Amino acid sequence: GAGKHQTPIWSPNGQYIAFVTNQNDENFIWTIPAQGGNPVSKTNLAISTSACELLKWSNDGKKLYFKSGQLLKTIDLNTGQINEVTLPSEKLTGAFSISQDESLIAFVSLDGEKQQLLVYNSIKDELIEVTEKGDVDLFPALLPDNSRIIFSSNQNGNYQLYITDFV
């Protein structure tokens, strides 16, 4: 159909694909059977005029994690209700990674012009500082072992990939 379709992700069971459609500067989340069929809108109203990116389908298949502007949100696929994921930082850059078991969320926090890579452990309600404030840290990706993270940073003046332990 009409609009720009983007950020597709697979459901945990591989039976569905979720994606965002941007039409007339409004974003809508849809799902469609992986083998084809009619897409189903999961939002009744446009969720945001800001950038929207699907990040992860929950393991139980009931919700989607997505980035809306600088915020991390979820949508309940049965009700369409959207909730903001509360993280212990006031200034977010919109860079997120969610662990496979959904217990950890890596994100970049902004303090003035200084960025810092953090990991929030939702089980322990613990905030882990991965990098010092100052470098430009981007694109965090948690590794499946839940103890390491890979990210891009300009620590040496040029953007390079770094991998580090955080537990």
Side-chain angles (χ1 to χ4, degrees):
K4 178 181 171 187
H5 308 304
Q6 55 200 23
T7 67
I9 58 172
W10 288 94
S11 66
N13 64 10
Q15 299 295 311
Y16 294 91
I17 300 168
F19 61 95
V20 173
T21 296
N22 182 286
Q23 189 171 5
N24 300 322
D25 289 326
E26 296 180 329
N27 294 305
F28 301 87
I29 295 175
W30 298 79
T31 60
I32 190 168
Q35 299 300 318
N38 293 321
V40 176
S41 175
K42 295 300 177 178
T43 53
N44 293 330
L45 303 171
I47 55 174
S48 171
T49 57
S50 61
C52 183
E53 176 184 354
L54 296 183
L55 300 173
K56 183 182 185 338
W57 206 305
S58 66
N59 294 335
D60 63 10
K62 295 180 180 178
K63 66 183 175 184
L64 295 170
Y65 290 90
F66 67 97
K67 177 179 91 166
S68 179
Q70 309 297 4
L71 301 175
L72 179 61
K73 297 183 178 186
T74 62
I75 182 170
D76 183 301
L77 293 173
N78 292 322
T79 66
Q81 180 169 344
I82 296 172
N83 292 310
E84 184 177 335
V85 177
T86 304
L87 295 170
S89 176
E90 293 179 17
K91 307 257 183 173
L92 302 172
T93 66
F96 303 101
S97 177
I98 301 153
S99 64
Q100 289 181 352
D101 67 359
E102 301 172 45
S103 67
L104 303 173
I105 300 172
F107 62 98
V108 178
S109 178
L110 185 63
D111 182 7
E113 293 193 19
K114 297 182 178 185
Q115 293 185 353
Q116 184 175 25
L117 182 58
L118 303 164
V119 173
Y120 178 63
N121 183 323
S122 63
I123 295 172
K124 296 180 181 178
D125 192 28
E126 173 185 38
L127 188 62
I128 303 160
E129 295 183 358
V130 178
T131 61
E132 298 292 323
K133 290 181 183 176
D135 297 315
V136 178
D137 302 319
L138 304 168
F139 311 113
L142 290 161
L143 276 71
D145 65 8
N146 279 2
S147 67
R148 295 177 295 157
I149 190 167
I150 190 168
F151 59 99
S152 176
S153 180
N154 71 346
Q155 293 176 14
N156 296 322
N158 294 316
Y159 284 97
Q160 302 286 324
L161 295 179
Y162 292 85
I163 189 168
T164 188
D165 295 333
F166 62 85
V167 291

